[in-house]
């Protein structure tokens, strides 16, 4: 059910016929996935292998409660998946991705590279410059490279500090429902 829901929710960018059946399917899915993680589902589906989708969703919620701007001073962790600068830069170099603290142009929250910075009209609300570690697309992409590509698709050890929260899916579901998001 979770995999089917993640596929459905990741298709929100594709126009859908809003039949009653479709609306009921979406309702079922929004009852199965934490509300604060729904907007991140397309990035999880795009970047992770299917067998890791639900694990990545649980880790993202446990680490940041789905907040793209999450930040923890004590370790300098940030973003949905809570990266530290040294790990981020190691993965960025390895996979030719933007380094920590680099400002990236986004269009409606997704990296946008079609126009040079000088030619943009800044009063359009859908464009924004954000530090790369706070862009969910990159934060989730980096996490997938770390967990699946660097560690051969078998471990999520970089998130051991929150393992108590995400390891057991039943406990995780009970927890996010109690917290209400």
């Amino acid at each position: 059910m979770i995999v089917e829901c993640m596929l459905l929710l990741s298709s929100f960018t594709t126009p859908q016929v809003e039949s009653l059946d479709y609306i009921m399917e979406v309702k079922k899915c929004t009852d199965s996935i934490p509300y604060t993680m729904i907007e991140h589902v397309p990035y999880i589906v795009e970047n992770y292998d299917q067998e890791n989708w639900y694990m990545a969703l649980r880790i993202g919620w446990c680490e940041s409660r789905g907040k793209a701007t999450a930040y923890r001073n004590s370790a300098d962790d940030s973003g949905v998946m809570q990266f530290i600068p040294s790990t981020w830069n190691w993965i960025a170099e390895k996979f030719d991705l933007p380094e920590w603290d680099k400002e990236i142009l986004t269009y409606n929250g997704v990296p946008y590279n079609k126009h040079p910075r000088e030619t943009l009209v800044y009063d359009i609300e859908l464009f924004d410059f954000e530090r790369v570690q706070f862009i969910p697309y990159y934060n989730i992409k980096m996490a997938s490279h770390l967990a699946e590509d660097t560690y051969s698709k078998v471990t999520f050890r970089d998130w051991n500090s929150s393992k108590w929260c995400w390891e057991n899916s039943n406990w995780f579901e009970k927890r996010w429902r109690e917290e209400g998001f």
Side-chain angles (χ1 to χ4, degrees), residues 85-104:
S86 59
T87 302
W88 182 283
N89 286 337
W90 172 55
I91 296 300
E93 183 178 336
K94 187 172 179 143
F95 293 96
D96 195 28
L97 293 165
E99 291 188 359
W100 189 267
D101 275 344
K102 182 175 181 180
E103 279 198 343
I104 302 289

Side-chain angles (χ1 to χ4, degrees), residues 13-145:
T13 56
T14 306
Q16 300 289 333
V17 176
E18 291 192 17
S19 67
L20 182 57
D21 289 340
Y22 176 75
I23 292 168
M24 294 310 291
E25 284 298 311
V26 170
K27 171 75 172 110
K28 271 194 271 182
C29 290
T30 57
D31 288 341
S32 302
I33 293 174
Y35 150 73
T36 56
M37 289 300 293
I38 289 173
E39 70 181 291
H40 307 309
V41 167
Y43 310 134
I44 292 170
V45 169
E46 178 182 336
N47 290 294
Y48 279 88
D49 292 340
Q50 185 173 328
E51 65 268 14
N52 292 328
W53 289 355
Y54 192 45
M55 178 72 75
L57 182 129
R58 293 192 322 251
I59 291 171
W61 187 87
C62 290
E63 288 286 333
S64 67
R65 299 306 190 258
K67 296 176 190 151
T69 58
Y71 182 76
R72 187 174 59 146
N73 280 335
S74 61
D76 209 14
D77 292 355
S78 64
V80 174
M81 302 301 280
Q82 290 291 283
F83 268 90
I84 61 172
S86 59
T87 302
W88 182 283
N89 286 337
W90 172 55
I91 296 300
E93 183 178 336
K94 187 172 179 143
F95 293 96
D96 195 28
L97 293 165
E99 291 188 359
W100 189 267
D101 275 344
K102 182 175 181 180
E103 279 198 343
I104 302 289
L105 176 68
T106 62
Y107 175 73
N108 210 14
V110 179
Y112 187 82
N113 299 319
K114 293 184 180 174
H115 298 286
R117 186 176 197 156
E118 301 78 31
T119 65
L120 293 174
V121 177
Y122 290 98
D123 60 354
I124 298 175
E125 289 182 24
L126 298 176
F127 287 98
D128 198 14
F129 281 98
E130 297 180 58
R131 287 177 34 207
V132 70
Q133 64 267 28
F134 294 115
I135 300 172
Y137 173 85
Y138 278 120
N139 202 278
I140 291 165
K141 183 176 186 61
M142 289 289 199
S144 75
H145 283 309

